[in-house]
Amino acid sequence: MEESYRQLQSIYTAFTQQYTDAGTQYQKLSEQGYAPELADLYKEFTETRGAEIAQEGLQLAIRYAASAQVLSKRYTDELFHFLNTRGMNGYLTDPAPDPQAALISLSGAAGTTLSASFDVENSTATSVSPRVSTTPVLDDSGTALEGAMIDVVPELINLAPGQKQTVKVMIPLDADLYREGVCYSTALVIVGLGQARNQLISCQIDVT
């Protein structure tokens, strides 16, 4: 554990230094007053690579949030199981569910296709057009499962105030990708609902 903290501290120090160096370089660009030719290059970069890097950063943040939510639930479940099996069941009750947390649990054999459905509701006073996307499928070690497919129907929804739409998710368990006895995780991300709840739905896939 101490070694892990030292590694984390080293990463944080390196990141901080990199951020400081980037700030210095950006300051130098600012001092040059953004000459017209430099401004054009800056715009070209932000519209191409800048947008791609920002999108990649968003996907990494979503993967982190989904994985952290799954890990948090596993920790809570294992903690209560441990305490209950040690004779504390008379003092403990199951924790109250988080009203903003959502979890879909699926199980099936490799080679089959799993499916689930959920409702997306517009609880705002204006019309919205939320989009449902998915994060990469991760195995129990946190490694992305390259080639794993998840179908969402529909992906784009048009909702009037108070209206809701059922969304169906289909996950084919390719026998060449999924391994028996492994629990995989992914997440469904709902963007465009404003302050509505359940914008991130964790999904656990147990391959039996």
Side-chain angles (χ1 to χ4, degrees), residues 76-93:
T76 303
D77 291 345
E78 292 188 12
L79 172 62
F80 272 77
H81 175 74
F82 174 80
L83 294 177
N84 280 322
T85 55
R86 291 302 181 93
M88 297 294 293
N89 55 309
Y91 299 91
L92 297 176
T93 57

Side-chain angles (χ1 to χ4, degrees), residues 156-183:
L156 181 63
I157 311 167
N158 297 311
L159 298 174
Q163 187 179 13
K164 64 182 178 180
Q165 167 77 49
T166 298
V167 176
K168 186 173 183 179
V169 181
M170 291 164 287
I171 307 176
L173 303 181
D174 190 330
D176 293 330
L177 297 176
Y178 291 87
R179 294 180 288 117
E180 180 181 344
V182 177
C183 180

Side-chain angles (χ1 to χ4, degrees), residues 55 58-67 69 102 104 118 120 129-136 150 152 154-157 167 169 186-193 197-203:
Q55 180 65 29
L58 176 60
Q59 290 298 321
L60 289 172
I62 291 172
R63 286 176 57 184
Y64 168 78
S67 300
Q69 185 174 352
I104 295 176
F118 59 92
V120 177
S129 297
R131 180 178 294 276
V132 183
S133 60
T134 63
T135 65
I150 300 178
V152 178
E155 293 183 349
L156 181 63
I157 311 167
V167 176
V169 181
T186 183
L188 305 169
V189 185
I190 307 172
V191 179
L193 277 175
R197 301 157 75 181
N198 291 342
Q199 294 189 9
L200 178 66
I201 304 176
S202 296
C203 183

